[in-house]
Amino acid sequence: MRSLIDILELSTQEIDELVAVAEDIIANPVKYSEKCHGKKLATLFFEPSTRTRLSFEAAMYELGGNVLGFSEASSSSASKGESVADTARIVSGYADIIAMRHPKEGAPLVASMYADVPIINAGDGGHNHPTQTLTDLLTIHREKGRFDNLTIGLCGDLKFGRTVHSLIGAMSRYSNIKFVLISPNELKVPDYIRNDILIKKGMDFEETASLEDAMPKLDILYMTRIQRERFFNEAEYLRLKDSYILDTDKLRTAKKDMCILHPLPRVNEISTAVDDDPRAAYFRQARNGKYIRMALIMKLLEVK
Ligand code: NCD
């Protein structure tokens, strides 16, 4: 039995296989419509979500399975003081696989130590978000046709943005990748990403505060929201919240085939006028989330 807590637990070969399965699901959905017949997915969401939870649920339904769960901590026994370990152990008796989102870093890892079924980390605090990264990878593959020879700009809240942390980990394993880390000084990537991944692996990366300077070099621009809920004080959030706003004017210096990604939800960091630009891939990206989660559920349930 296997869980997915950190994206680096999957080898690049396994990621290639998941992407290939997701692409086959997109081409032949009917082939997969009964693959998880009789199986149950539990979605335990202790933090808000739209895409992640609903795409997990849609994924399980499209595989012919069923779904149970809760979408806020206040409606679960966590509000009575139950531990994550106990909740995981209990839900193991009701479901075949669990997707868990939690505000505390490491909570899904703890759950995986007590559960008898696979646990999927659906986002743990400001730490990791491996299934968003699988979604990002499927999107990069479909939009750019490759995982190597890419200059990737990551822009916004690189400190608290968990999707950025997992994506840097995953992309660091491909060849000729360059990262341009675009953030205010206060929201740079945490040391464990800089030291344990970027420096340790000898990655080519630069840090800048200027989106304008970075723009012409980029093959991919990954925008992120300033993570209000993870700030220690509101005044600091208000000071930084409008640091980057991508609009059509700023895109004038971008490559013609640059791909614009965003895990969503967007607040104001991408103007809605950009949505009509063919380079804006974030709504396609959100759709891809369902297909890659179908592939992942099948893999962890060992469905052939
Ligand atoms: C992201 C998350 O939850 O980390 N959303 C998502 O899962 N697509 C990004 C965010 O909340 O900013």
Side-chain angles (χ1 to χ4, degrees), residues 13 34 39 46-47 50 56 83 108 110 112 131 154 165 170 209 222 236 243 276 296 304:
Q13 190 195 331
E34 292 297 324
K39 302 276 187 199
F46 296 86
E47 237 192 15
T50 300
F56 261 118
S83 67
V110 171
S112 72
T131 64
L154 298 143
H165 306 156
Y222 193 94
E236 179 85 336
S243 297
D276 298 326
L296 179 67
K304 285 287 157 269

Side-chain angles (χ1 to χ4, degrees), residues 15-283:
I15 285 179
D16 287 347
E17 283 161 11
L18 287 170
V19 167
V21 171
E23 287 176 343
D24 192 54
I25 293 170
I26 293 167
N28 309 291
V30 178
K31 206 168 108 186
Y32 294 88
S33 64
E34 292 297 324
K35 290 283 187 191
C36 287
H37 180 79
K39 302 276 187 199
K40 290 190 282 308
L41 163 76
T43 50
L44 311 186
F45 276 59
F46 296 86
E47 237 192 15
S49 169
T50 300
R51 272 150 295 276
T52 305
R53 186 172 62 83
L54 296 185
S55 68
F56 261 118
E57 297 190 353
M60 195 53 164
Y61 284 123
E62 290 203 17
L63 291 167
N66 288 296
V67 173
L68 64 162
F70 53 81
S71 56
E72 48 188 336
S74 61
S75 65
S76 78
S77 281
S79 65
K80 301 180 190 171
E82 185 168 65
S83 67
V84 162
D86 281 2
T87 303
R89 202 178 255 162
I90 300 306
V91 177
S92 293
Y94 306 149
D96 302 284
I97 185 164
I98 296 173
M100 175 184 280
R101 169 170 290 188
H102 202 285
K104 288 217 172 83
E105 285 82 2
L109 174 64
V110 171
S112 72
M113 289 153 54
Y114 291 89
D116 303 319
V117 301
I119 299 277
I120 302 172
N121 178 3
D124 63 327
H127 190 213
N128 280 325
H129 195 345
T131 64
Q132 180 62 46
T133 298
L134 290 173
T135 302
D136 302 340
L137 292 170
L138 173 59
T139 308
I140 291 169
H141 196 259
R142 297 187 76 199
E143 301 283 328
K144 304 297 293 179
R146 63 181 194 275
F147 289 136
D148 38 25
N149 304 317
L150 292 167
T151 297
I152 306 171
L154 298 143
C155 177
D157 188 345
L158 310 187
K159 180 180 182 186
F160 297 118
R162 56 194 173 194
T163 68
V164 166
H165 306 156
S166 297
L167 185 58
I168 289 175
M171 291 309 298
S172 293
R173 300 194 293 193
Y174 297 100
S175 59
N176 197 19
I177 295 296
K178 178 169 180 170
F179 294 110
V180 185
L181 306 175
I182 309 154
S183 74
N185 201 35
E186 296 84 344
L187 298 177
K188 286 182 170 177
V189 290
D191 284 344
Y192 72 90
I193 298 290
R194 182 179 299 99
N195 298 336
D196 301 350
I197 298 180
L198 295 168
I199 293 175
K200 198 172 195 172
K201 293 191 138 195
M203 297 307 296
D204 186 350
F205 75 101
E206 65 178 272
E207 296 185 287
T208 173
S210 169
L211 177 56
E212 287 82 349
D213 287 354
M215 191 69 84
K217 309 176 206 171
L218 306 178
D219 298 305
I220 293 171
L221 172 58
Y222 193 94
M223 294 295 294
T224 62
R225 160 180 85 85
I226 308 294
Q227 305 275 306
R228 179 179 204 159
E229 68 275 32
R230 314 223 188 273
F231 275 68
F232 297 110
N233 79 67
E234 181 75 0
E236 179 85 336
Y237 167 73
L238 293 173
R239 195 167 62 74
L240 294 171
K241 75 180 177 57
D242 297 325
S243 297
Y244 302 101
I245 298 178
L246 180 66
D247 55 22
T248 49
D249 193 47
K250 289 202 186 79
L251 280 171
R252 277 187 300 127
T253 61
K255 288 186 184 173
K256 293 276 168 287
D257 63 347
M258 187 185 77
C259 170
I260 308 167
L261 301 179
H262 190 311
L264 303 179
R266 131 176 91 186
V267 183
N268 64 343
E269 57 280 356
I270 303 182
S271 108
T272 53
V274 174
D275 299 354
D276 298 326
D277 190 301
R279 292 170 288 190
Y282 32 91
F283 292 117

